[in-house]
Amino acid sequence: MAAPEAGRYGECGPRPPARLGARISQDPGTVLGAVGMMDLAYVCEWEKWPKSTYCPSVPLACAWSCRNLIAFTTDLRNDDQDLARMIHILDTEHPWDVHSISSEHSEVITCLEWDQSGSRLLSADADGQIKCWSMADHLANSWESSVGSLVEGDPIVALSWLHNGVKLALHVEKSGASSFGEKFSRVKFSPSLTLFGGKPMEGWIAVTVSGLVTVSLLKPSGQVLTSTESLCRLRGRVALADIAFTGGGNIVVATADGSSMSPVQFYKVCVSVVSEKCRIDTEILPSLFMRCTTDVNRKDKFPAITHLKFLARDMSEQVLLCASSQTSSLVECWSLRKEGLPVNNIFQQISPVVGDKQPMILKWRILSATNDLDRVSAVALPKLPISLTNTDLKVASDTQFYPGLGLALAFHDGSVHIVHRLSLQTMAVFYSSAAPRSLDEPAIKRPRTTGPAVHFKAMQLSWTSLALVGIDNHGKLSMLRISPSLGHPLEAKLALQHLLFLLEYCMVTGYDWWDILLHVQPGMVQSLVEKLHEEYMRQKPALQQVLSTRILAMKASLCKLSPCTVTRVCDYHTKLFLMAISSTLKSLLRPHFLNTPDKSPGDRLAEICAKITDVDIDKVMINLKTEEFVLDMNTLQALQQLLQWVGDFVLYLLASLPNQGSPLRPGHSFLRDGTSLGMLRELMVVIRIWGLLKPSCLPVYTATSDTQDSMSLLFRLLTKLWICCRDEGPASEPDEALVDECCLLPSQLLVPSLDWLPASDSLVSRLQPKQPLRLFFGRAPPLPGSATTLQLDGLARAPGQPKIDHLRRLHLGAYPTEECKACTRCGCVTMLNSPNETTAVKQWEQRWIKNCLCGGLWRRVPLSYS
């Protein structure tokens, strides 16, 4: 494999002007080495298209969803395929598994936009066609388009989903507070359009090059209601546009004709539905001229406006403008403010202005501007809704270390600057000082060669602003880390505090946290898991119940990053599975009399099992109303595989009790977890009752004695172990008699070898050394042959060993013939189609139709998955 050209990634290119910010050292090596603000994580490239297929004139589009899915276009062409009209979607954890959509756009794609849930994508082209893409079968690598709209022959220059009214603000100054309600607050924000009852109506808005605004509404019936209106009476060419939303439910559109000598126009757009028709009303707002055009010395230096962006989709009061020439650029940040209108003395005498009665007007005021820069090639804005108590520049400068306050500027010399979104002061710079290495290639020093500078034509910041993706003019995708402590030395305590705060934010919002894991070093894992648990336990019980599965999934993904905690990954996923089985089986129970008040059968089961500490399962069972446990025989038989897993796991835990001193054994944490042991105890009682109705649904054990009552034996030992740790205080040590009995278990029952999660092909754990990896689209990298997870007891899998469906607990054989899907986050594998039509099994499978039990997205995998 040939080494990549040094000019692309390998060597430092021309140094950008130091005038951008005083915090950046004059020596690029000093910035990257001492502070470590930005570095390259990996690069993924196409391997079958030569350089002659690049089309530099083709604009690129890129979008990053809150689920860490990236959609992008490329400017690659060849004789039989036109990639410039294709959309590529990938998961950041598996960038090589790219799904390329033949979009059927007749012209070049100009805009890509994810919805607020990160599950649907809008694409628009230069012919006025807009398409809405959604996942086919809820798979991240399978997409289809069923709806769209068209403004024929009118290129789309700006595109956005209508706002759904949900906005959660982060209060940086309260990051040390104990309650999540103080750290993250719901902002009063009205949807762009509401249905009956206040439910937000879904749809999108777009601006065309001829000055039209088009709105498409998705009706609950599936129909699309589209309307088009002119932004103003005198229509003109719109070369650039952007869309933002106000808290009152209105939409603000900013437009420019491309000339810096022309004003930047702003319009208020109101959308409503009247008589089953979409109505659009527009109103002209104050406009502005760029400051550089009023400077006599630079009046003609920057003839074109090349970038026009609101600082955030829900921040219509602040806008970023970039004017450029062929070789240089200038960036300005403007803010819309209310100012009092001075009243002439003559009118003051007629009608004196008192207090709040003074007339107010809206005026654009410049906040900051840069000096002359190298030509800007792309701009990326933060998505993190940070709430500051004061937006004054001095206050903003004091808090500028927080990543959500920075926006990214890419230059034609190949560098990337992170600048403060208000003061435009440089906070970090990336100079491409390290070349990427292949996964199977040692990190050796490569010779320096000369080559043309490669720059980003499109880029996007992640939803926590800790990562940046860029698509360069050679079609390659680069993933950059952005330090959580921008503008300050990288102190471990400060970085840990920021990572914890952002993990909590993702826990509350449900956003994916892959970009946060990029910054977690093995030594941080233990502290982060402990602090995350402490903050979780401080919340109200109702909130804890809502977040119970998310925190387990978050802990599991963190523990993957350290060899010392990797076995806990199995424990956390097993606990997720156990909680899911417990809630599903309890939901099948029905009260014998419909008018039974108070508690459900599942709640009574938990209460009785917690109260009665008898080790005899039959004595516990007689205290329950067995008529509430009656189910259809076919249902019980269909649940056998799940019941078998419960029985096998109880046997495995008890057999591993004598080895409890070894934390490298999966299941170790369960031996001191009174809640999980109590849950297993309840399930054993339920299984015992169901076994009386249909014996064939009971777990099957291989016993050395035909008279051995395996269920009674396991329940007795499980109860003794549960009694040791059921109280909230520190767990007491199990007595020697219990340990001795557990030592005899392997001689009484055949202990099964549980099939834990497969060896993950995740990328984030291999990015820890901060040495960039070189990947290729369409080619999966080899799994690490000496990974810690493959050497641990219970985790190894020999080649050709039978595989299992991790959710249905069905054996698939050594070479599965059924199509399967795998979780993008934890690697859990399950069949794509259900082999069972029983209602109870469908209820179980319906829980995982959209997401894995850890919350990750599904992706289709080949039949020969590992």
Side-chain angles (χ1 to χ4, degrees), residues 282-301:
T282 62
E283 177 185 336
I284 299 177
L285 297 177
S287 58
L288 65 87
F289 281 91
M290 289 194 68
R291 176 64 59 86
C292 63
T293 61
T294 62
D295 188 342
V296 178
N297 298 325
R298 295 190 291 183
K299 186 175 181 180
D300 301 320
K301 190 172 182 180

Side-chain angles (χ1 to χ4, degrees), residues 9-60:
Y9 311 100
E11 307 296 339
C12 297
R15 187 172 60 218
R19 293 186 295 271
L20 253 177
R23 290 186 179 271
I24 297 301
S25 167
Q26 296 294 317
D27 180 13
T30 304
V31 175
L32 291 176
V35 183
M37 296 176 183
M38 295 177 68
D39 69 306
L40 182 64
Y42 64 76
V43 60
C44 205
E45 55 188 302
W46 307 95
E47 58 179 340
K48 58 182 179 180
W49 281 280
K51 295 179 186 178
S52 60
T53 62
Y54 301 139
C55 300
S57 61
V58 176
L60 300 185

Side-chain angles (χ1 to χ4, degrees), residues 157 159 213 495 604:
V157 293
L159 179 67
V213 56
R604 282 196 294 273

